[in-house]
């Protein structure tokens, strides 16, 4: 019965029915506590996994502040569990790192994730999916942190990050395939890192500044007016850097211009 609840809850989450999935995860937790008392170490582990599933649901429902403290508690509990499994600890670390980023605690996330990447590479191996996800969230912590340039040796850390993401991209491709969503996410992150810290297009030499009015070719004979809103833009899940991001007047749509072409 508990296994059926768990499978159904997972299916509901995949289908986007997060609230219903949350109810089923909670029911499974109650059954585990009722039928396994006092709980064995494995039952405690299953309860922690259930709490993590429920935290996933709360996160999907936008309750990121509440989820952060739950992620911290789950991580500590896995650390203290007798006979703890390294995979569980790093899975919990990955989720905690993500929660820190979603709550804009970038410096804490960066330090925490960097420590766990090094450990995961030793204990799980560089090809393990948890190691790869930790690496990607570490990159997110750096690229989203506007204060990163204020830390000591930030350029060295950035160089190490580029190498790490390059390795992560190659290993992710080996596991999921070159056209997989996971590979696209990693390449997208790499492009954002490059666009932010080593811009492909020098803003001082681009013809149009942020806020300038422009006309954009959106078809064979169609030109639409808009406003430049960003330089060195990276479209979601794309690995290339575009010269401009532009907000069109028509429909308030956002488009990008891949190059600064005067033709």
């Amino acid at each position: 019965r508990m296994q059926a609840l768990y499978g159904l809850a997972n299916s509901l989450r995949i289908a986007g029915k997060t609230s219903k999935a949350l109810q089923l995860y909670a029911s499974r937790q109650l059954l585990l506590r009722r039928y396994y008392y006092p709980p064995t170490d494995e039952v405690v582990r299953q309860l922690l996994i259930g709490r993590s599933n429920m935290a996933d649901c709360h996160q999907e429902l936008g309750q990121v502040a509440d989820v952060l403290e739950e992620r911290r508690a789950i991580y500590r509990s896995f650390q203290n569990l007798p006979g703890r499994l390294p995979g569980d600890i790093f899975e919990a670390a990955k989720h905690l790192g993500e929660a820190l980023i979603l709550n804009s605690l970038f410096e804490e996330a960066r330090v925490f994730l960097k420590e766990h990447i090094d450990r995961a590479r030793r204990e799980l191996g560089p090809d393990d999916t948890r190691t790869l996800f930790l690496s990607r969230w570490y990159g997110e912590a750096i690229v989203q942190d506007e204060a990163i340039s204020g830390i000591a040796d930030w350029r060295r850390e950035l160089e190490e990050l580029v190498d790490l993401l390059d390795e992560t991209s190659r290993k992710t491709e080996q596991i999921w395939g070159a056209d997989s969503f996971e590979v696209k996410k990693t390449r997208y992150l790499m492009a954002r890192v490059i666009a932010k810290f080593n811009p492909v297009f020098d803003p001082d030499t681009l013809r149009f500044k942020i806020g300038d009015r422009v006309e954009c070719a959106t078809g064979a004979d169609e030109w639409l007016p808009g406003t430049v809103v960003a330089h060195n833009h990276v479209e979601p899940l794309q690995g290339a850097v575009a010269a401009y991001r532009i907000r069109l007047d028509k429909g308030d749509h956002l488009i990008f211009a891949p190059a600064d072409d005067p033709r």
Side-chain angles (χ1 to χ4, degrees):
R1 182 180 176 184
M2 284 182 281
Q3 192 63 32
L5 279 174
Y6 190 64
L8 179 56
N10 289 338
S11 298
L12 288 169
R13 269 190 67 201
I14 293 171
K17 299 179 180 179
T18 305
S19 296
K20 291 184 177 179
L22 180 59
Q23 294 173 1
L24 292 183
Y25 286 132
S27 297
R28 180 175 180 270
Q29 295 292 92
L30 290 173
L31 288 173
L32 281 169
R33 291 191 179 96
R34 178 180 299 173
Y35 291 111
Y36 296 96
Y37 186 84
T40 63
D41 290 345
E42 177 57 26
V43 171
V44 172
R45 176 177 175 269
Q46 289 299 320
L47 286 167
L48 288 173
I49 292 172
R51 285 174 62 183
S52 184
N53 294 140
M54 293 174 70
D56 290 339
C57 292
H58 286 297
Q59 185 169 296
E60 290 168 12
L61 293 170
Q63 301 161 2
V64 295
D66 295 334
V67 166
L68 176 58
E69 294 312 310
E70 177 68 350
R71 294 295 193 197
R72 290 189 196 276
I74 293 169
Y75 172 76
R76 288 194 299 267
S77 297
F78 270 121
Q79 287 273 53
N80 296 327
L81 188 65
R84 58 185 180 273
L85 300 174
D88 289 340
I89 294 172
F90 292 115
E91 183 74 16
K94 177 194 74 175
H95 287 304
L96 176 52
E98 179 184 7
L100 289 167
I101 292 167
L102 291 175
N103 283 274
S104 300
L105 298 173
F106 302 120
E107 182 177 2
E108 183 181 352
R110 178 179 57 80
V111 174
F112 176 80
L113 288 164
K114 181 65 167 64
E115 172 194 343
H116 284 77
I117 290 168
D118 295 339
R119 286 179 52 198
R121 290 173 70 88
R122 292 193 305 269
E123 298 181 31
L124 300 178
D127 298 331
D128 190 272
T129 57
R130 285 153 295 197
T131 304
L132 300 177
F133 282 124
L134 285 166
S135 300
R136 202 162 68 202
W137 282 116
Y138 170 64
E140 282 289 347
I142 289 181
V143 80
Q144 292 191 39
D145 189 359
E146 295 300 329
I148 188 68
S149 59
I151 69 170
D153 296 330
W154 73 273
R155 289 192 179 278
R156 179 181 58 79
E157 187 160 0
L158 177 61
E159 291 173 0
E160 293 175 352
L161 172 62
V162 172
D163 291 340
L164 177 65
L165 290 178
D166 182 59
E167 179 188 41
T168 299
S169 179
R170 286 186 282 105
K171 292 186 180 300
T172 302
E173 184 174 333
Q174 291 170 4
I175 296 172
W176 283 289
D179 296 326
S180 68
F181 181 67
E182 298 302 335
V183 169
K184 290 178 180 178
K185 286 171 69 174
T186 305
R187 290 176 179 165
Y188 171 50
L189 175 58
M190 288 181 68
R192 287 163 57 213
V193 169
I194 293 169
K196 180 173 182 178
F197 298 107
N198 188 22
V200 173
F201 300 95
D202 183 352
D204 293 333
T205 62
L206 289 172
R207 290 178 301 147
F208 304 109
K209 309 304 179 188
I210 293 175
D212 281 357
R213 298 284 295 164
V214 294
E215 287 191 342
C216 307
T218 56
D221 298 306
E222 183 179 43
W223 291 79
L224 296 178
T227 303
V228 175
V229 296
H231 296 142
N232 288 289
H233 171 67
V234 182
E235 278 288 289
L237 301 184
Q238 298 296 316
V241 181
Y244 302 105
R245 193 180 202 199
I246 300 140
R247 185 182 299 279
L248 296 178
D249 295 350
K250 183 179 180 179
D252 207 34
H253 294 305
L254 287 165
I255 65 171
F256 67 92
D260 188 22
D261 190 341
R263 289 176 295 175

